[in-house]
């Protein structure tokens, strides 16, 4: 009996260990109850059967785990493509101001080691104001896209360059010619006198997915062929500049000197050109931005063919649609690009767009944030036709525009108006005099003499001109009151401040 008890205890310990092991490797859910069945003897004194372990499902079902994700091995991609990634060094000059003694001020040089040199060897120019050319040096990256020496990089890498030197992975160096540069998209194309060069394969940035692994090769701080990796953090990012580039955001470590270098997908194809980082220190802080190769390739082809790039233009100024605007315009969701101003004679004007319109789609593609619209226009070409779904007066209307050329002269903005009144906004309003209308370049509107309450909190200022409320023109205080009385949560005021027009959402109540 003691012996049998000992055997039973040993068997129980083995079962517990088995259960624990199964739970540890995920065969049994740690949250599920365990039922252990054991027979110490068969019906006729037969040997004991092997223990049976059954898992009882937890009370609340859990989602099935996704497929296992293995980390990529970038070694082959790095080995295969590094020979086509180049180091770019630039020599140029910049003009610095001289003080009244003819010397460059410390602020112009900062911590430049040449400061004392230029202070000592400026020549007898004391007492005269002017400027002096100071040598500048810069480093960047690039990649070869044609065996005969065509290289892509960033426009800011070669800006103001007098001399551009390209160093290959095999340590050979060439003087490069800048075939063309497009500051709008930050793309530049170089040419070196060489043949049978290694090239990188170009992929399609449109195929990238958020969360996908990517690899950068470049020369941060001059360290050639440096490889860093990360994932795609977001796509279609709009940055606060006038580039209209739908950037690829990644967490790949990018630092000064990486600019112009390639961003690869896991198939070893270039999907972007590393261009910018967001940093409060000057170094990498987890946010880097790359120009999509689909856009960059089109710019490259134009530069190679003509020496310059052309960009499309719609001719509107847009704002973000926040919840206040969505409530004002009776939109189900705060999505789209709110048209604040339409350039007179522009493609948008000819298509019938008006201030207060909300562009929800272009060519069938949803516009979530206002920055999506200029990004879509930015990848188009002058002469392309686009179809727009526009929210106007509580319904969708479809407009078609033929895009113009961004290089065309900008016409004077046409006076645009909008909605109807407001009640407890905290505004003191009066109609504009004829001379005030001429000075402001408008035909109607109300002058804000004083601002307080909800309107002042939203940013309305005395001296602003109220053009519309909720997209409807206002010429009298009564019109303003009428619109506000019919609004539940908020109203959208179209304000002209100097030459600019802007929508301001104001919460009511």
């Amino acid at each position: 009996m003691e012996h049998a008890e000992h055997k039973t205890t040993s068997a129980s310990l083995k079962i517990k260990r088995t259960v624990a092991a199964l739970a540890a490797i995920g065969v049994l859910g740690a949250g599920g109850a365990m039922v252990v069945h054991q027979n110490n003897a068969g019906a006729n004194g037969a040997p004991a059967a092997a223990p049976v372990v059954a898992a009882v499902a937890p009370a609340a079902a859990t989602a099935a785990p996704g497929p296992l994700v293995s980390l990529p091995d970038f070694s082959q991609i790095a080995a295969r493509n590094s020979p086509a990634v180049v180091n770019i060094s630039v020599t140029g000059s910049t003009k610095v101001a001289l003080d009244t003694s003819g010397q460059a001020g410390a602020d112009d040089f900062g911590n430049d080691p040449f400061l004392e040199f230029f202070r000592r060897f400026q020549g007898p120019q004391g007492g005269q104001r002017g400027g002096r050319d100071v040598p500048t040096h810069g480093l960047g990256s690039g990649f070869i896209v044609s065996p005969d020496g065509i290289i892509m990089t960033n426009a800011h890498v070669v800006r103001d360059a007098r001399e551009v030197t390209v160093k290959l992975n095999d340590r050979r160096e060439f003087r490069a010619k800048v075939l063309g540069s497009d500051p709008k998209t930050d793309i530049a194309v170089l040419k070196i006198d060489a043949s049978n060069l290694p090239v990188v394969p170009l992929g399609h940035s449109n195929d990238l997915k958020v969360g996908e692994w990517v690899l950068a090769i470049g020369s941060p701080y001059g360290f050639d062929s440096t490889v860093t990796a990360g994932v795609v953090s977001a796509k279609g990012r709009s940055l606060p500049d006038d580039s209209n580039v739908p950037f690829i955001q990644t967490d790949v470590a990018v630092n000064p000197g990486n600019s112009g270098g390639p961003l690869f997908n896991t198939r070893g194809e270039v999907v972007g050109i590393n261009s910018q980082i967001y940093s409060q220190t000057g170094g990498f802080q987890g946010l880097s931005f790359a120009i999509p190769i689909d856009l960059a390739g089109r710019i490259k082809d134009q530069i190679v063919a003509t020496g310059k790039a052309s960009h499309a233009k719609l001719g509107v100024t847009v704002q973000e649609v926040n919840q206040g605007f969505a409530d004002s315009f009776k939109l189900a969701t705060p999505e789209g690009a709110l048209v604040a101003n339409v350039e007179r004679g522009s493609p948008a004007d000819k298509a019938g767009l008006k201030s207060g319109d909300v562009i929800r789609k272009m060519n069938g593609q949803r516009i979530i944030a206002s920055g999506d619209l200029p990004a879509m226009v930015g990848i188009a070409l002058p002469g392309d036709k686009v179809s727009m779904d526009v929210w106007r007066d509580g319904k969708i209307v479809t407009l078609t525009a033929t895009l113009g050329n961004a290089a065309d002269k900008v016409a004077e903005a046409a006076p645009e108006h909008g909605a109807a009144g407001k009640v407890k906004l905290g505004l003191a309003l009066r109609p504009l005099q004829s001379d005030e209308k001429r000075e402001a370049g408008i035909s109607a509107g109300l002058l804000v003499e004083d601002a307080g309450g909800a309107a002042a909190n939203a940013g309305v200022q005395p001296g602003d001109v109220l053009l519309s409320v909720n997209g409807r023109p206002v010429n009298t205080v009564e019109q303003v009151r009428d619109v506000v009385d019919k609004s539940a949560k908020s109203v959208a005021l179209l304000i002209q401040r100097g030459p600019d027009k802007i929508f301001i959402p104001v919460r009511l109540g």
Side-chain angles (χ1 to χ4, degrees), residues 285-311:
Q285 288 188 285
L287 297 173
S288 56
F289 300 91
I291 303 163
I293 197 63
D294 293 334
L295 170 60
R298 284 195 289 272
I299 300 299
K300 183 264 295 182
D301 292 342
Q302 291 186 56
I303 290 176
V304 171
T306 66
K308 61 181 181 180
S310 298
H311 298 282

Side-chain angles (χ1 to χ4, degrees), residues 129 285 384 454:
R129 285 191 174 272
Q285 288 188 285
D384 286 353

Side-chain angles (χ1 to χ4, degrees), residues 4 14 86 91 107 113 118 184 245-246 248 286 307 322 357 363 368 379 382 386 397 428 484 498:
K14 289 181 181 179
V86 302
T91 300
D107 289 342
F118 281 102
K184 190 79 172 176
V245 173
I248 303 166
N322 57 26
D357 286 344
N363 291 340
I368 307 299
I379 63 176
V386 294
V397 296
V484 175

Side-chain angles (χ1 to χ4, degrees), residues 378-393:
I379 63 176
L381 294 174
D384 286 353
K385 288 189 176 182
V386 294
S387 175
M388 296 171 288
D389 288 355
V390 175
W391 182 262
R392 178 186 293 172
D393 296 330

Side-chain angles (χ1 to χ4, degrees), residues 444-470:
L446 296 168
L447 179 67
V448 178
E449 291 190 308
D450 191 19
N457 292 337
V460 181
Q461 303 173 6
D464 288 344
V465 176
L466 176 61
L467 299 177
S468 72
V469 183
N470 289 354

Side-chain angles (χ1 to χ4, degrees), residues 143-228:
F143 52 98
I144 306 170
V145 295
S146 176
D148 60 353
I150 299 295
I151 296 170
M152 295 180 68
T153 186
N154 283 149
H156 75 261
V157 169
V158 296
R159 183 175 57 229
D160 300 326
R162 281 200 315 240
E163 182 179 311
V164 179
T165 302
V166 169
K167 184 169 73 172
L168 305 186
N169 186 258
D170 61 10
R171 302 182 62 83
R172 287 185 293 166
E173 294 187 4
F174 296 87
R175 181 76 62 86
K177 176 183 179 181
V178 180
L179 295 183
S181 180
D182 181 45
K184 190 79 172 176
T185 55
D186 199 21
I187 299 296
V189 181
L190 314 181
K191 177 71 169 67
I192 60 175
D193 187 12
S195 59
N196 298 321
L197 296 174
V199 300
V200 295
L202 302 183
H204 295 285
S205 46
N206 288 338
D207 296 335
L208 269 181
K209 295 184 176 69
V210 174
E212 186 174 337
W213 283 94
V214 282
L215 173 86
I217 304 179
S219 303
Y221 301 107
F223 294 108
D224 297 348
S225 301
T226 297
V227 177
T228 53

Side-chain angles (χ1 to χ4, degrees), residues 305-354:
T306 66
K308 61 181 181 180
S310 298
H311 298 282
K313 178 181 71 173
L314 182 58
V316 294
T317 302
V318 295
Q319 290 180 236
E320 202 71 43
V321 178
N322 57 26
Q323 188 61 54
F325 286 141
D327 294 339
S328 300
F329 293 111
K330 296 179 173 57
L331 288 165
T333 55
E335 297 180 4
L338 174 60
V339 177
N341 188 46
V342 179
E343 181 185 312
R344 184 170 57 193
S346 67
D349 187 27
K350 295 175 182 177
L353 275 171
K354 300 177 181 179

